[in-house]
Amino acid sequence: MTSTLNRRLLLALAGAASTGPAFAQSQAQSFAAATAAAATAPDEPLQPGPFQPSWESLGSYQTPEWFRDAKFGIWAHWGPQCEPEVGDWYAREMYFEGQPKYRHHTATYGHPSQVGFKDVIRRWKAARWQPDELLALYKQAGARYFMALANHHDNFDLYDSRHQPWNATRLGPQRDLIGGWAAAARAQGLPFGVSVHAAHAWTWYEAAQGADRQGPLAGKPYDGSLRLQDGKGQWWEGLDPQDLYAQNHPRSANADKPNGIHSQWNWGNGATVPSSAYCRKFLNRTVELLSRYRPELLYFDDTALPLWPVSDVGLKVAAHFYNLHATRQGATQAVLFGKILDEQQRRCMVWDIERGQSNAIEPLPWQTDTCLGDWHYDSRLLREHKYKSANTVIHTLIDIVSKNGNLLLNVPVNRDGQIDADERRIVGEIGAWMRVNGESIYGTRPWTRFGEGPSLADSAPLQGPGFNEGKGKPLGAQDLRFTARGDTLYASVFGLPADGQVRIESLAGKAHRPVQRIDLLGGAEKLRFRQDAEALTVTLPAGLAPSPAYVLRIV
């Protein structure tokens, strides 16, 4: 109990205005000016060009070759929800009485009727953030593009936004984080992307309208219903909490259930429909983000497009984004990701699968997004050493690339802006493998088959936006995955066969042209092999060092 009280005291002292009433008054005036400016800001201009805000027009999209060649990106899914360091969806789950994050919040910061997520934002300082160092590390790990979180469902913009007063240049770090990430990525020559999740704040925060049902504070409302006028004399005087929480509306069906929102992700099943003002504000914030920072990649955590089908603002954002990067030939060099796409929508953007993989070679390029641990940083994963291993990441990457996909890997960043020792080791191990075997990844295309082996008989179906990761049979020494570049075929082997022989039935003499030469990437040249009517059999060198995968170059 004493340690908890001491921590609360330290947090309170850290959050106090140390320069007295004059500073507080000046801050309140600054907040009020930002709030007023946001309310009267004109609409952001949309970029004209060949793409119009309709599915029919967006259907002319073709994925740029640079993205198809890149194959591997790293993501910093980092924002104020990393301040508590207990994992994802903190700003929602802290408002569900009795849930683990509610218990953490009340023990660490105070009751959500008195200390809400707005107060967590204030405490987050990102004091040791060094984007240049991290981007140099990610490039060494083999990343060919980089993605940064621009806002999450918590509705807090991590950039200098004139439409959202609750942003990182005024609160928390008081820095333009997206600007810093963008400069660091471009200094490394990496295409830069942003992920935008704020369309769902409308329903995601609905638990903040609630109150405890039992205990000493039963019935006392959480802070999700506070208004501008409630801030008089508070640290947030001049800011309207509704610009953050967006809860001036009736709650959706099942809003009191932590998982109720999942069935409403496409704005059905009893979700309260967002207001036109909410949709307009989302449009302006996102268009400003794209126009100011000019990212080459844009990730939406939405079914199809944000606010679709209750609003057309997602279509407007997509057309604007593509037109910003349009070529003289009427194509675009931009890449836009969406989830749970129908056949028409897959022609309009790149299909993203969350924490999962396709079970076939897809006719159009696609992407998996996954994470070493939880999306937002969770310090328990370091203490318990429970991150994905480099072997798992590399196996996942090889499998995805063999099926015409890319991998976007989130490396969670802690509250201070650093990645931890386990993550650094894993990232380094990925880089070591890529430096030897990247030839089989970058710039390749699917072969006629993506693979062979026992894992093909035990694939797991996708669930919603993905979520079949780790549910199929693990890749082993009898499994193969193929990629190709021109007439060169690459066969990845996920372990050493007991007899030292790799058998590839797809390259049997009766089904394939005669093989001329086989090398082991990073190792022996001109391996011994035999090609007959049953299979191509390759003899691996003795004494090979352990590796996540061995890659054969076959010509």
Side-chain angles (χ1 to χ4, degrees):
M1 178 62 73
T2 301
S3 62
T4 298
L5 291 175
N6 286 341
R7 175 163 171 74
R8 285 191 187 176
L9 177 60
L10 289 171
L11 289 169
L13 290 172
S18 59
T19 51
F23 176 81
Q25 183 179 8
S26 173
Q27 178 177 265
Q29 292 171 346
S30 175
F31 286 163
T35 299
T40 58
D43 288 341
E44 296 292 325
L46 297 174
Q47 177 71 30
F51 292 93
Q52 302 301 312
S54 69
W55 292 114
E56 291 74 21
S57 178
L58 298 178
S60 65
Y61 175 75
Q62 292 188 351
T63 309
E65 290 298 297
W66 74 259
F67 176 75
R68 298 193 68 191
D69 290 342
K71 304 302 183 188
F72 179 49
I74 287 181
W75 189 5
H77 192 282
W78 179 58
Q81 289 179 87
C82 296
E83 169 63 27
E85 295 192 344
V86 292
D88 202 23
W89 280 35
Y90 185 91
R92 172 178 168 83
E93 293 175 7
M94 60 165 277
Y95 291 105
F96 284 96
E97 183 180 6
Q99 293 292 311
K101 291 184 177 66
Y102 169 95
R103 297 197 300 270
H104 175 90
H105 189 83
T106 54
T108 307
Y109 304 111
H111 191 265
S113 65
Q114 301 161 334
V115 183
F117 188 69
K118 68 184 187 309
D119 303 281
V120 176
I121 290 172
R122 187 192 186 201
R123 301 185 192 282
W124 179 52
K125 302 303 180 186
R128 298 174 61 210
W129 179 53
Q130 297 179 338
D132 290 305
E133 188 270 336
L134 287 174
L135 265 297
L137 179 66
Y138 296 158
K139 186 171 183 179
Q140 291 173 7
R144 293 291 177 90
Y145 54 99
F146 173 76
M147 182 87 67
L149 185 76
N151 51 49
H152 197 250
H153 313 313
D154 60 20
N155 218 22
F156 184 73
D157 284 350
L158 300 167
Y159 55 95
D160 187 9
S161 171
R162 61 176 172 172
H163 298 279
Q164 173 55 301
W166 294 81
N167 73 68
T169 67
R170 296 189 180 94
L171 296 159
Q174 298 186 30
R175 297 175 66 179
D176 183 348
L177 302 182
I178 289 299
W181 283 126
R186 286 167 177 149
Q188 296 295 330
L190 297 176
F192 176 64
V194 292
S195 68
V196 172
H197 310 241
H200 284 287
W202 180 270
T203 50
W204 195 79
Y205 263 135
E206 285 180 341
Q209 294 187 40
D212 283 3
R213 296 182 178 181
Q214 52 190 321
L217 293 174
K220 186 174 182 181
Y222 302 149
D223 72 332
S225 297
L226 292 174
R227 301 291 188 269
L228 177 65
Q229 60 269 23
D230 297 318
K232 187 66 175 176
Q234 304 294 324
W235 72 261
W236 47 273
E237 182 176 350
L239 287 171
D240 187 349
Q242 290 313 303
D243 282 332
L244 179 71
Y245 295 127
Q247 290 307 300
N248 190 19
H249 63 83
R251 298 172 82 189
S252 303
N254 298 318
D256 59 342
K257 294 180 172 56
N259 294 324
I261 195 172
H262 294 296
S263 65
Q264 300 168 341
W265 212 245
N266 62 348
W267 302 100
N269 296 317
T272 301
V273 175
S275 68
S276 59
Y278 178 85
C279 296
R280 174 174 171 262
K281 181 177 179 179
F282 176 84
L283 173 64
N284 281 316
R285 288 163 64 187
T286 310
V287 169
E288 179 188 32
L289 169 71
L290 301 176
S291 299
R292 177 174 295 180
Y293 301 96
R294 298 289 176 124
E296 289 85 5
L297 306 104
L298 173 59
Y299 171 105
F300 284 133
D301 192 4
D302 298 275
T303 301
L305 287 170
L307 299 164
W308 179 261
V310 298
S311 170
D312 67 350
V313 302
L315 292 169
K316 291 178 179 177
V317 170
H320 173 75
F321 179 53
Y322 285 164
N323 287 333
L324 284 174
H325 297 277
T327 67
R328 292 182 179 179
Q329 293 73 36
T332 185
Q333 292 300 303
V335 184
L336 170 62
F337 304 99
K339 299 180 178 180
I340 315 181
L341 307 180
D342 63 27
E343 185 175 348
Q344 179 193 38
Q345 292 162 349
R346 290 192 196 183
R347 296 195 297 270
C348 300
M349 65 189 86
V350 173
W351 178 31
D352 181 87
I353 300 176
E354 181 175 350
R355 288 193 184 271
Q357 294 118 265
S358 173
N359 292 315
I361 297 176
E362 294 293 335
L364 296 172
W366 58 284
Q367 176 180 268
T368 284
D369 69 277
T370 192
C371 183
L372 285 183
D374 209 347
W375 291 116
H376 286 98
Y377 189 83
D378 188 336
S379 60
R380 294 168 295 187
L381 297 176
L382 172 63
R383 293 194 299 270
E384 299 170 10
H385 304 294
K386 287 189 174 180
Y387 288 117
K388 281 187 178 74
S389 68
N391 275 27
T392 296
V393 173
I394 291 165
H395 287 190
T396 301
L397 172 65
I398 295 169
D399 181 68
I400 288 167
V401 172
S402 74
K403 300 168 183 174
N404 204 26
N406 285 30
L407 173 63
L408 177 63
L409 177 70
N410 177 42
V411 180
V413 180
N414 68 18
R415 66 163 66 96
D416 291 334
Q418 297 279 303
I419 64 172
D420 63 43
D422 280 10
E423 292 175 306
R424 285 183 178 274
R425 174 182 52 77
I426 294 165
V427 167
E429 290 170 357
I430 294 169
W433 187 89
M434 293 288 273
R435 283 189 288 276
V436 172
N437 299 284
E439 176 185 336
S440 67
I441 300 294
Y442 305 122
T444 62
R445 297 293 182 266
W447 192 51
T448 55
R449 298 181 64 181
F450 71 82
E452 293 181 13
S455 64
L456 271 63
D458 190 22
S459 57
L462 296 175
Q463 298 178 351
F467 299 114
N468 66 347
E469 180 179 82
K471 295 180 179 179
K473 187 178 180 64
L475 295 168
Q478 302 304 314
D479 289 298
L480 297 162
R481 291 295 182 267
F482 304 118
T483 57
R485 182 188 292 106
D487 292 332
T488 300
L489 176 66
Y490 300 94
S492 295
V493 187
F494 302 93
L496 292 173
D499 61 358
Q501 305 238 309
V502 178
R503 179 181 171 86
I504 308 176
E505 294 180 359
S506 300
L507 297 180
K510 63 182 180 181
H512 191 270
R513 63 172 174 78
V515 169
Q516 303 299 316
R517 174 173 173 154
I518 302 177
D519 304 321
L520 179 69
L521 293 189
E525 298 180 349
K526 296 184 178 180
L527 298 181
R528 292 188 293 113
F529 65 90
R530 181 181 73 258
Q531 187 178 24
D532 58 30
E534 300 300 322
L536 173 72
T537 303
V538 185
T539 301
L540 295 177
L544 286 177
S547 174
Y550 303 93
V551 183
L552 305 177
R553 182 200 295 123
I554 303 170
V555 294

